Amino acid sequence: MSGTLCSWLLQCAKRSALSLSHSQHRLYFRCSCSPGLSVAWPNRTWRSSSSSHNGLDLGPGGVPRAQRHSSTHEDLEIQLTRTQINAILRANEQAVHIPEFDGRGLSAVHKFESNQLPANTPNEDRRSAATCLQTKGMMFGVFDGHGGYACAQAVSERLLYYVAVALMSRRSLEEVEDAMENLRPVLPILQWYKHHNDYNYRESASLYVEHLRVFWQELLDHEEHGEGMHPRDALDYAFRRLDADISLEAQVPLDSDLMRNTALQVAFAGSTACVAHVDTKGIHVANTGDCRAVLGVQEEDGSWSAVPLSHDHNALNGAELERVRTQHPQAERDTVVTDERLLGILMPLRAFGDVRFKWSRELQQSVLDSDCDLESLNIYQYTPPNYLTPPYLEATPELTYHKLRPKDRFLILASDGLWDMLGNEEAVRLVAEHLTGVHLQAPLSASERQMSLGQMHSLLLQRRARAVPALDPNSATHLVRHALGTNEYGEVDQERLSAMLALPEDLARMYRDDITVTIIYFNSNVIKSCDA
């Protein structure tokens, strides 16, 4: 998309009549730019900044804003310098190297690299990464919020704790409970790897700890807990239990108005989640919604392949669509999912929160009629159409296990903002090229051998573009750059990339979603020794 096209779109948006309609969790503006063209994007909270530094107009997080120049025809041309592009792309990147042996055992993870690029303001995606200190392994999560960031924020803070507690042995849980009971310091459960831009719900921390404690107390009540749950069971139980706690917290009296308001926002917003637990034996992936986990595998001949370790839970997944339909009477078969959305509204068919799709009408009315300012909380009183036999939504994850092999090189976890723009194979190829420095060129196919001279020239341009050295030390940034800026020749087009990054807040969501990427690289030597 060129700067000229962006200018045209901006002018269309200025001249067009905007109407606002709302449905559960997503408010949509409708903008008719020209006959036959209708564009929709979710509403969000607006934020502006007038700060500047060294002559640059700075946005949130100190990222330089686009320079806009008006012509005599009032066209807006959006231009970003290479420095500004890099500043935007790298503002949220993270890279962490993991010691092969940390005093507790060997690590199958060599390092991980991560990045986020918002389209909504504020960003509705979240990410988490942590080492399990009381058990073995590391955990990584990507969370895609909708209806605001509140639910994704809470799940990103809490879910890994629930999994870690479920993995702990009875003896370890007894030690933690004894320390809590006697007001002694509690041994840490997780070592978190936080980016400096990551945010925590500090006002709700005491509530979260209280409910986590109730969770481990209930585990202690079961004699069979013993050495702790298997990772598969721990992930499944943690997903379902956290979602139940989110629902409960929105219904009961809480200590402060601020805490209650947060609980309501979390429950009425929603979030998908994809979490990977990695140890020296293998990878357990738990997925709820449409984030995705893809494994990069290098074969003995040097070729690469992409192995999906999760499935998207949306209407394009036939098995998932049938699962949702069979949970409701035959009379609802044509209304449970319409326009590829749950009840015509929600894209993911599994999610945390989203109590609009889980609670009865009576319970929703009772909670929303309580003494709180729903308008300031961005919560609206209405019921989805054809809401007859709730619940329509659940957070139960789909679970996948993969035994690690020396040829398994990395795992990509990403929100659907990336997968909307890149396929599995293309994402693995880009990371593989970044990792090895070898630019992968497929042999000519039979059809390509019959190309005309002009077509062959285009193919050569495309292959030459792919041989350009990577600009980004961080592989997650490399993926985001290519997802946004790659043209038909396979090269990153600076004008296209500039236009995509310089879109103002009220237009950005029309062209892309929030993007979150975490790439986990495996320690092949450790995997070989454990596999022997």
Side-chain angles (χ1 to χ4, degrees):
M1 180 173 55
S2 68
T4 303
L5 177 57
C6 286
S7 301
W8 176 79
L9 286 167
L10 285 166
Q11 288 302 309
C12 289
K14 286 174 59 180
R15 293 192 293 266
S16 300
L18 294 175
S19 62
L20 178 67
S21 62
H22 65 80
S23 53
Q24 172 53 18
H25 304 297
R26 302 194 179 204
L27 294 180
Y28 287 90
F29 285 110
R30 298 287 174 183
C31 172
S32 296
C33 298
S34 64
L37 177 62
S38 178
V39 186
W41 67 96
N43 189 24
R44 75 284 303 187
T45 304
W46 304 108
R47 180 172 60 183
S48 62
S49 171
S50 58
S51 60
S52 61
H53 181 66
N54 293 336
L56 296 178
D57 183 19
L58 302 183
V63 174
R65 293 186 185 275
Q67 302 298 311
R68 304 181 188 174
H69 308 281
S70 296
S71 70
T72 55
H73 300 289
E74 298 184 345
D75 288 331
L76 294 175
E77 292 188 8
I78 303 176
Q79 299 175 355
L80 288 174
T81 66
R82 190 177 296 272
T83 299
Q84 289 174 314
I85 289 173
N86 290 338
I88 293 170
L89 287 176
R90 296 171 182 172
N92 297 305
E93 66 181 12
Q94 180 184 25
V96 177
H97 285 261
I98 308 298
E100 185 172 311
F101 183 80
D102 61 3
R104 298 181 308 110
L106 294 171
S107 173
V109 176
H110 169 58
K111 66 177 180 178
F112 71 90
E113 296 176 341
S114 184
N115 203 351
Q116 290 187 300
L117 182 71
N120 292 295
T121 305
N123 187 3
E124 295 182 350
D125 279 6
R126 293 294 185 271
R127 59 186 170 181
S128 295
T131 294
C132 299
L133 295 177
Q134 304 301 320
T135 58
K136 295 181 179 180
M138 294 185 67
M139 287 190 286
F140 303 88
V142 170
F143 312 92
D144 186 352
H146 46 265
Y149 64 85
C151 190
Q153 176 64 46
V155 175
S156 71
E157 290 184 48
R158 305 175 68 182
L159 183 57
L160 301 196
Y161 272 119
Y162 277 64
V163 179
V165 163
L167 288 169
M168 289 169 63
S169 67
R170 167 175 289 278
R171 181 177 177 179
S172 297
L173 290 178
E174 287 173 342
E175 291 176 355
V176 172
E177 174 59 22
D178 185 66
M180 290 284 288
E181 183 68 25
N182 294 286
L183 302 180
R184 296 198 311 270
V186 177
L187 290 174
I189 295 173
L190 293 173
Q191 176 185 342
W192 289 90
Y193 302 96
K194 296 282 189 179
H195 187 269
H196 60 82
N197 284 345
D198 289 346
Y199 172 77
N200 287 323
Y201 275 145
R202 300 185 187 280
E203 65 276 7
S204 299
S206 60
L207 175 67
Y208 294 169
V209 171
E210 177 185 340
H211 278 191
L212 183 64
R213 186 181 182 186
V214 171
F215 179 46
W216 77 56
Q217 287 173 338
E218 291 180 5
L219 292 175
L220 287 171
D221 287 340
H222 292 84
E223 292 296 332
E224 64 272 19
H225 188 70
E227 293 304 311
M229 290 185 180
H230 186 273
R232 177 185 179 90
D233 298 327
L235 286 162
D236 180 62
Y237 195 20
F239 269 63
R240 291 184 288 111
R241 178 53 184 262
L242 176 56
D243 193 52
D245 282 355
I246 287 171
S247 177
L248 175 65
E249 290 157 8
Q251 300 175 49
V252 300
L254 296 176
D255 293 341
S256 69
D257 289 342
L258 183 59
M259 193 179 293
R260 172 158 175 74
N261 290 344
T262 299
L264 284 170
Q265 287 178 313
V266 169
F268 278 87
S271 178
T272 64
C274 188
V275 172
H277 178 275
V278 183
D279 59 26
T280 54
K281 295 180 181 179
I283 309 166
H284 286 88
V285 173
N287 184 53
T288 287
D290 50 11
C291 293
R292 194 181 301 174
V294 178
L295 186 69
V297 179
Q298 187 176 29
E299 304 296 344
E300 291 183 2
D301 63 0
S303 63
W304 290 84
S305 59
V307 179
L309 297 187
S310 68
H311 302 96
D312 298 348
H313 298 138
N314 54 36
L316 299 180
N317 180 337
E320 181 69 6
L321 180 60
E322 188 60 23
R323 180 193 68 82
V324 173
R325 284 174 170 166
T326 56
Q327 291 180 345
H328 300 275
Q330 182 66 25
E332 293 185 64
R333 186 169 181 84
D334 294 333
T335 60
V336 172
V337 176
T338 59
D339 296 328
E340 297 186 344
R341 294 170 179 261
L342 187 65
L343 298 178
I345 297 170
L346 192 64
M347 288 287 287
L349 301 183
R350 302 191 200 192
F352 284 89
D354 281 320
V355 293
R356 291 271 193 209
F357 297 86
K358 297 173 181 176
W359 290 355
S360 67
R361 292 173 183 264
E362 293 75 20
L363 178 56
Q364 291 186 42
Q365 193 65 39
S366 173
V367 170
L368 292 177
D369 282 347
S370 60
D371 186 21
C372 58
D373 185 358
L374 297 180
E375 184 174 354
S376 67
L377 299 178
N378 201 27
I379 297 174
Y380 299 88
Q381 288 185 290
Y382 71 95
T383 303
N386 301 302
Y387 198 76
L388 305 173
T389 55
Y392 287 88
L393 190 68
E394 61 185 64
T396 304
E398 186 174 11
L399 300 156
T400 306
Y401 174 69
H402 178 84
K403 185 180 185 301
L404 276 173
R405 308 160 298 180
K407 65 180 182 178
D408 299 326
R409 302 298 301 278
F410 55 80
L411 177 69
I412 305 172
L413 294 179
S415 60
D416 67 337
L418 180 81
W419 305 116
D420 287 343
M421 297 181 172
L422 293 178
N424 294 356
E425 296 287 348
E426 186 177 7
V428 165
R429 175 184 63 78
L430 287 167
V431 177
E433 291 178 346
H434 190 274
L435 173 65
T436 63
V438 177
H439 300 277
L440 310 174
Q441 305 288 6
L444 287 177
S445 65
S447 60
E448 288 174 334
R449 294 192 186 99
Q450 305 301 319
M451 283 182 175
S452 67
L453 185 59
Q455 291 170 327
M456 182 61 72
H457 178 67
S458 295
L459 178 63
L460 290 173
L461 287 176
Q462 182 177 356
R463 293 194 165 199
R464 182 183 300 171
R466 285 171 53 180
V468 176
L471 295 174
D472 302 294
N474 187 298
S475 56
T477 308
H478 181 70
L479 268 188
V480 175
R481 185 186 297 271
H482 279 262
L484 294 181
T486 300
N487 62 18
E488 63 271 24
Y489 297 116
E491 65 181 348
V492 175
D493 185 307
Q494 284 294 117
E495 185 178 7
R496 176 188 177 89
L497 186 59
S498 173
M500 289 293 284
L501 292 175
L503 285 169
E505 294 170 354
D506 54 343
L507 288 180
R509 189 59 183 85
M510 295 167 60
Y511 292 95
R512 60 180 179 87
D513 198 356
D514 301 323
I515 300 174
T516 297
V517 185
T518 297
I519 303 170
I520 303 110
Y521 292 93
F522 302 121
N523 193 328
S524 298
N525 292 330
V526 170
I527 295 171
K528 286 178 184 176
S529 64
C530 293
D531 193 44

